[in-house]
Short mmCIF file of all heavy atoms in Angstrom, two decimals:
data_model
loop_
_atom_site.label_atom_id
_atom_site.label_comp_id
_atom_site.label_asym_id
_atom_site.label_seq_id
_atom_site.Cartn_x
_atom_site.Cartn_y
_atom_site.Cartn_z
N ARG A 55 -13.14 -18.85 8.58
CA ARG A 55 -14.05 -19.82 8.07
C ARG A 55 -13.46 -21.29 8.07
O ARG A 55 -14.19 -22.22 8.51
CB ARG A 55 -14.46 -19.44 6.57
CG ARG A 55 -15.47 -20.39 5.99
CD ARG A 55 -15.65 -20.07 4.50
NE ARG A 55 -16.22 -18.73 4.28
CZ ARG A 55 -15.74 -17.87 3.45
NH1 ARG A 55 -14.72 -18.12 2.70
NH2 ARG A 55 -16.33 -16.68 3.32
N TRP A 56 -12.21 -21.39 7.78
CA TRP A 56 -11.56 -22.66 7.86
C TRP A 56 -11.44 -23.23 9.26
O TRP A 56 -11.74 -24.37 9.50
CB TRP A 56 -10.12 -22.52 7.24
CG TRP A 56 -9.28 -23.77 7.34
CD1 TRP A 56 -9.33 -24.83 6.49
CD2 TRP A 56 -8.29 -24.09 8.36
NE1 TRP A 56 -8.42 -25.84 6.94
CE2 TRP A 56 -7.79 -25.35 8.06
CE3 TRP A 56 -7.85 -23.39 9.49
CZ2 TRP A 56 -6.82 -25.97 8.88
CZ3 TRP A 56 -6.86 -24.02 10.28
CH2 TRP A 56 -6.38 -25.30 9.94
N GLU A 57 -11.13 -22.28 10.21
CA GLU A 57 -11.04 -22.75 11.57
C GLU A 57 -12.43 -23.21 12.12
O GLU A 57 -12.49 -24.20 12.88
CB GLU A 57 -10.51 -21.61 12.49
CG GLU A 57 -9.03 -21.36 12.25
CD GLU A 57 -8.52 -20.11 12.95
OE1 GLU A 57 -9.40 -19.31 13.39
OE2 GLU A 57 -7.30 -19.96 13.11
N ALA A 58 -13.47 -22.50 11.73
CA ALA A 58 -14.85 -22.94 12.18
C ALA A 58 -15.17 -24.26 11.56
O ALA A 58 -15.81 -25.14 12.22
CB ALA A 58 -15.83 -21.86 11.84
N ALA A 59 -14.88 -24.44 10.27
CA ALA A 59 -15.16 -25.69 9.60
C ALA A 59 -14.40 -26.84 10.17
O ALA A 59 -14.91 -27.95 10.44
CB ALA A 59 -14.89 -25.57 8.08
N ARG A 60 -13.13 -26.55 10.51
CA ARG A 60 -12.27 -27.61 11.05
C ARG A 60 -12.78 -28.04 12.45
O ARG A 60 -12.80 -29.18 12.82
CB ARG A 60 -10.84 -27.14 11.14
CG ARG A 60 -9.89 -28.13 11.70
CD ARG A 60 -8.51 -27.47 11.85
NE ARG A 60 -7.50 -28.36 12.36
CZ ARG A 60 -6.34 -28.00 12.88
NH1 ARG A 60 -6.04 -26.71 12.95
NH2 ARG A 60 -5.45 -28.90 13.32
N ALA A 61 -13.17 -27.04 13.25
CA ALA A 61 -13.63 -27.30 14.63
C ALA A 61 -14.88 -28.16 14.62
O ALA A 61 -15.07 -29.02 15.47
CB ALA A 61 -13.86 -26.03 15.42
N SER A 62 -15.73 -27.94 13.65
CA SER A 62 -16.98 -28.71 13.58
C SER A 62 -16.88 -29.93 12.62
O SER A 62 -17.84 -30.61 12.42
CB SER A 62 -18.14 -27.80 13.09
OG SER A 62 -17.86 -27.30 11.78
N LYS A 63 -15.71 -30.07 11.97
CA LYS A 63 -15.46 -31.17 11.05
C LYS A 63 -16.48 -31.17 9.97
O LYS A 63 -17.01 -32.23 9.54
CB LYS A 63 -15.40 -32.51 11.80
CG LYS A 63 -14.22 -32.67 12.76
CD LYS A 63 -14.27 -34.04 13.41
CE LYS A 63 -13.00 -34.31 14.16
NZ LYS A 63 -12.59 -33.27 15.15
N ASP A 64 -16.78 -29.96 9.43
CA ASP A 64 -17.83 -29.87 8.40
C ASP A 64 -17.24 -29.03 7.26
O ASP A 64 -17.19 -27.83 7.26
CB ASP A 64 -19.05 -29.15 8.96
CG ASP A 64 -20.15 -29.03 7.97
OD1 ASP A 64 -20.00 -29.48 6.80
OD2 ASP A 64 -21.27 -28.52 8.32
N ARG A 65 -16.84 -29.73 6.20
CA ARG A 65 -16.17 -29.06 5.07
C ARG A 65 -17.14 -28.23 4.25
O ARG A 65 -16.75 -27.41 3.44
CB ARG A 65 -15.47 -30.07 4.21
CG ARG A 65 -14.34 -30.83 4.91
CD ARG A 65 -13.53 -31.63 3.95
NE ARG A 65 -12.61 -32.47 4.64
CZ ARG A 65 -11.63 -33.20 4.11
NH1 ARG A 65 -11.56 -33.22 2.75
NH2 ARG A 65 -10.82 -33.94 4.78
N SER A 66 -18.40 -28.48 4.41
CA SER A 66 -19.40 -27.68 3.69
C SER A 66 -19.33 -26.21 4.03
O SER A 66 -19.79 -25.33 3.31
CB SER A 66 -20.80 -28.26 3.89
OG SER A 66 -21.25 -28.05 5.22
N LEU A 67 -18.81 -25.93 5.28
CA LEU A 67 -18.74 -24.48 5.66
C LEU A 67 -17.69 -23.78 4.84
O LEU A 67 -17.64 -22.53 4.90
CB LEU A 67 -18.37 -24.48 7.18
CG LEU A 67 -19.39 -25.08 8.12
CD1 LEU A 67 -18.88 -25.02 9.60
CD2 LEU A 67 -20.66 -24.30 8.00
N LEU A 68 -16.89 -24.48 4.14
CA LEU A 68 -15.85 -23.80 3.28
C LEU A 68 -16.46 -23.43 1.90
O LEU A 68 -15.81 -22.81 1.10
CB LEU A 68 -14.68 -24.76 3.02
CG LEU A 68 -13.86 -25.13 4.28
CD1 LEU A 68 -12.78 -26.14 3.87
CD2 LEU A 68 -13.27 -23.94 4.95
N SER A 69 -17.72 -23.82 1.63
CA SER A 69 -18.28 -23.60 0.32
C SER A 69 -18.51 -22.14 0.03
O SER A 69 -18.69 -21.76 -1.11
CB SER A 69 -19.67 -24.36 0.19
OG SER A 69 -20.55 -23.88 1.19
N GLY A 70 -18.55 -21.27 1.05
CA GLY A 70 -18.73 -19.84 0.84
C GLY A 70 -17.65 -19.31 -0.09
O GLY A 70 -17.84 -18.41 -0.84
N GLU A 71 -16.42 -19.90 0.03
CA GLU A 71 -15.33 -19.47 -0.82
C GLU A 71 -15.60 -19.92 -2.26
O GLU A 71 -15.32 -19.14 -3.19
CB GLU A 71 -14.06 -20.10 -0.28
CG GLU A 71 -12.84 -19.72 -1.14
CD GLU A 71 -11.57 -20.41 -0.60
OE1 GLU A 71 -11.67 -21.17 0.36
OE2 GLU A 71 -10.49 -20.13 -1.19
N GLU A 72 -16.13 -21.10 -2.44
CA GLU A 72 -16.32 -21.58 -3.79
C GLU A 72 -17.44 -20.83 -4.53
O GLU A 72 -17.45 -20.78 -5.74
CB GLU A 72 -16.69 -23.08 -3.79
CG GLU A 72 -15.57 -23.89 -3.17
CD GLU A 72 -14.26 -23.75 -3.90
OE1 GLU A 72 -14.28 -23.74 -5.15
OE2 GLU A 72 -13.21 -23.69 -3.25
N SER A 73 -18.44 -20.29 -3.77
CA SER A 73 -19.53 -19.64 -4.37
C SER A 73 -19.15 -18.44 -5.15
O SER A 73 -19.92 -17.91 -5.97
CB SER A 73 -20.61 -19.28 -3.27
OG SER A 73 -20.11 -18.30 -2.47
N GLN A 74 -17.97 -17.91 -4.86
CA GLN A 74 -17.45 -16.69 -5.55
C GLN A 74 -16.49 -17.06 -6.62
O GLN A 74 -15.82 -16.17 -7.20
CB GLN A 74 -16.80 -15.73 -4.54
CG GLN A 74 -17.73 -15.17 -3.48
CD GLN A 74 -18.70 -14.18 -4.12
OE1 GLN A 74 -18.42 -13.57 -5.12
NE2 GLN A 74 -19.81 -14.02 -3.54
N SER A 75 -16.30 -18.33 -6.97
CA SER A 75 -15.23 -18.77 -7.92
C SER A 75 -15.55 -18.32 -9.36
O SER A 75 -14.62 -18.21 -10.12
CB SER A 75 -15.03 -20.26 -7.81
OG SER A 75 -16.25 -20.94 -8.20
N CYS A 76 -16.75 -18.06 -9.67
CA CYS A 76 -17.08 -17.69 -11.07
C CYS A 76 -17.98 -16.49 -11.08
O CYS A 76 -19.09 -16.52 -11.45
CB CYS A 76 -17.76 -18.82 -11.80
SG CYS A 76 -16.69 -20.29 -11.98
N PRO A 77 -17.50 -15.35 -10.55
CA PRO A 77 -18.33 -14.18 -10.46
C PRO A 77 -18.60 -13.57 -11.84
O PRO A 77 -17.82 -13.75 -12.75
CB PRO A 77 -17.51 -13.17 -9.59
CG PRO A 77 -16.09 -13.60 -9.88
CD PRO A 77 -16.09 -15.08 -10.07
N SER A 78 -19.69 -12.91 -12.00
CA SER A 78 -20.08 -12.27 -13.24
C SER A 78 -19.96 -10.75 -13.16
O SER A 78 -20.11 -10.09 -14.19
CB SER A 78 -21.43 -12.68 -13.71
OG SER A 78 -22.45 -12.31 -12.70
#
Side-chain angles (χ1 to χ4, degrees):
R55 182 186 295 131
W56 176 82
E57 290 174 340
R60 182 186 181 195
S62 62
K63 294 182 170 52
D64 183 359
R65 297 190 188 185
S66 68
L67 296 177
L68 298 175
S69 61
E71 179 180 2
E72 300 301 320
S73 66
Q74 294 291 334
S75 61
C76 296
S78 59

